[in-house]
Amino acid sequence: MTTIESDVPGMVWKVSVEVGATVEEGTLLVIVESMKMEVPITSSHAGTVTKVCVAEGDAVSTGQPLVEVDGAAK
Amino acid sequence: MTWQPELDELKLRLELARQLGGSEGIARQRKRGKLTVTERIDMLADAGSARPFGRLRGSGEYDESGVLKDFVPAGKLEGFCSINGRKIVYSAHDFTVRGGSSDGAHGQLGQEPGAAVRALEWRLPFVRLIDAAGGTVRSFEKIGRTYLPDANPFTQNDVRLLSAVPVVSAVLGAAAGAEALQTSLSHWNVMVEGVSQVFPGGPPVVAAALGVQIAKEDLGGPQVHVGRSGVVDNLAATEADAIDQCKRFLSYLPSSVYELPPRCEQDARTPDSTGLLSLVPRNPRQPYSAHELIRSLVDCDSFFEIAPRYGTARVTGLARVDGYPVGVMANNPRALGGATDVAAGEKAQRLIALCDTFHLPLIDLVDEPGLMVGLESEHQGIERAAARLICATIDSRMPWLTVVVRRLYGVGGQAHQRPSGMYRRYAWPSANWGSMHISGGVAAAYRREIEASDNPEEAMREIEERLRNLSSPFRTAEATGQDIIDPRDTRDAMVEFVQDAQRVLGLQLGPPPVPYRP
């Protein structure tokens, strides 16, 4: 089980996946907005989304969990 | 009649010293998941290169006739060793001996100088392997009095070292009291996940002073000092990783300010720069990866990031270009849009000071929207932070290459120009710049026209459009001669700059005109 964290502070602008979605390494999960930049957060592993920890509009900080992905490690 | 009995006693004392604090102390160290000081030194030093000094310092136990029964060495191992063929000085705590706490220096005549003095006088890098419990009030009972905390006669060596040789501190356990200070009297430091804490006063002191209960990991562990305070630059997964990072960091620097950094020609592989033409998105709201930018320009696998979790709006680190060590910094558009907040400014300032002190050219990859705005930034004192950054920029002498990749604005942008010495700036076709951003700037400067118009929003858009048409970097270049290049040619320009820089760096050897301040 992998937790994808935000590597930057900002606000959750778009959540692109829901629980149960199949993702690959590099699949877009969340877009965090900060200072007018749309920062894409992508999955580091292939697998299935088991938890979405944030909602659109939430403030996030660096290191904050965004999405949990269950699947075989790379 | 020979001196063999004394030689036998010497052999015995050294053998007893090798047992550190005894098997019980060693077992406790292992139980805490920590390595012994001998294991750490074996990991740090090239095989067979360790040359300890002062190994006879400690406490002897004697029988009634005055014959040595047992010997416990002092809680610190110091000496010379080589790392990857280069000589350094190390100073490592032995936590198995009285928790590594100092018994208080008594200042007797004839004391052998410590490792810090050796490093200073031999002009060698200084490595601290810190694992200590700090001072203890037990020593008051032991000597029957209290003492003044006059550590500065010793600490002044630590301060002088900072402008003389590379100093690194690896926190491999607790760094409390004096050791917390020493953690920061370094050019770079590292701590270990689950093992290390840094604080001037630990949980008992905090409880006594503030009435607050807090566990030592929560008070001074990595989530406090690597991510939040920035007091510790890097995080290691294990002690072996920490020691490895120490070696890596030192490999980019000379042994002292009197020499140039060592060149590594054999590993200087050219990166693939073909992706650079499309790295910067045309959509200004889309960021690119600052790490990918750096990797596409410096020698393959040569980038060592400093403080990756602090001040994330700026990426800073060391790398090689054509085998020559360089400092690299890049705005990170993913974090705060790449704006310079207090933490990012601090990272930049420290990298500038490191490069100036140890004679590394600085490569500055710029996408700067400006200083971070907003109330939080104001509370943090962005103005004084910017002043310190600008002073560091202007005071620096080392060759400085700026590449404007995208934005360059305002006072934050000002900090990317070094107005003296060997300084060169290139811009990419994607570059845009100004004293202020057009959006935001128009609303302020053209307020009257906008308010007087029938359709203020339309008027503002029209004015913004008018100004944007003037913002092509080529128009600026007509007036100023600014060089604009194909992004894919940046690597070659960088290599030539770094090669040219060696001649200038050779004329800057010696201590920095401005002392290095942590």
Side-chain angles (χ1 to χ4, degrees), chain B residues 6-71:
Chain B
E6 283 74 11
L7 276 187
D8 291 339
E9 180 168 345
L10 174 62
K11 200 168 156 204
L12 172 65
R13 284 175 179 269
L14 290 174
E15 181 49 50
L16 290 170
R18 270 191 284 275
Q19 291 166 28
L20 307 181
S23 50
E24 265 184 48
I26 293 175
R28 268 198 302 271
Q29 183 81 340
R30 296 217 190 289
K31 201 152 162 244
R32 282 187 202 98
K34 297 199 289 181
L35 301 173
T36 65
V37 65
T38 340
E39 286 165 344
R40 288 168 182 168
I41 293 169
D42 284 344
M43 236 186 262
L44 179 71
D46 295 342
S49 72
R51 301 280 180 272
F53 43 73
R55 222 38 207 125
L56 296 173
R57 190 184 271 119
S59 306
E61 229 181 275
Y62 302 87
D63 66 18
E64 312 78 41
S65 37
V67 173
L68 185 74
K69 269 196 326 190
D70 199 5
F71 175 76

Side-chain angles (χ1 to χ4, degrees), chain A residues 7-9 13 33-42 62, chain B residues 284-287 312 332-337 339 372 406-407:
Chain A
D7 61 311
V8 295
W13 191 52
E33 190 269 337
S34 171
M35 293 280 284
K36 296 208 165 64
M37 282 290 169
E38 299 164 18
V39 182
I41 313 286
T42 57
T62 308
Chain B
R285 286 178 62 91
Q286 280 169 8
T312 52
N332 179 7
R334 290 174 66 89
L336 306 179
M372 185 62 184
R406 191 147 69 172
R407 297 161 298 169

Side-chain angles (χ1 to χ4, degrees), chain B residues 8 49 56 118 307 322 333 388 393 483 504:
Chain B
D8 291 339
S49 72
L56 296 173
R118 291 267 155 97
D322 192 28
R388 291 162 63 134
T393 303
D483 284 311
V504 172

Side-chain angles (χ1 to χ4, degrees), chain B residues 351-408:
Chain B
L351 181 69
I352 292 166
L354 186 70
C355 290
D356 199 42
T357 302
F358 294 109
H359 318 303
L360 280 73
L362 179 62
I363 312 291
D364 183 9
L365 306 172
V366 178
D367 178 16
E368 175 75 63
L371 297 181
M372 185 62 184
V373 296
L375 189 58
E376 193 181 330
S377 194
E378 297 304 332
H379 279 159
Q380 288 173 4
I382 185 70
E383 291 79 3
R384 186 177 296 121
R388 291 162 63 134
L389 172 58
I390 299 281
C391 282
T393 303
I394 288 174
D395 278 341
S396 70
R397 314 151 295 157
M398 73 288 169
W400 183 316
L401 177 68
T402 290
V403 181
V404 187
V405 163
R406 191 147 69 172
R407 297 161 298 169
L408 179 65

Side-chain angles (χ1 to χ4, degrees), chain B residues 197-240:
Chain B
Q197 308 91 33
V198 182
F199 32 63
V205 178
V206 172
L210 302 174
V212 165
Q213 303 299 326
I214 181 166
K216 59 183 181 179
E217 296 79 10
D218 297 326
L219 179 63
Q223 80 289 355
V224 174
H225 285 312
V226 177
R228 197 87 191 264
S229 72
V231 161
V232 177
D233 291 308
N234 287 45
L235 182 62
T238 60
E239 294 193 35

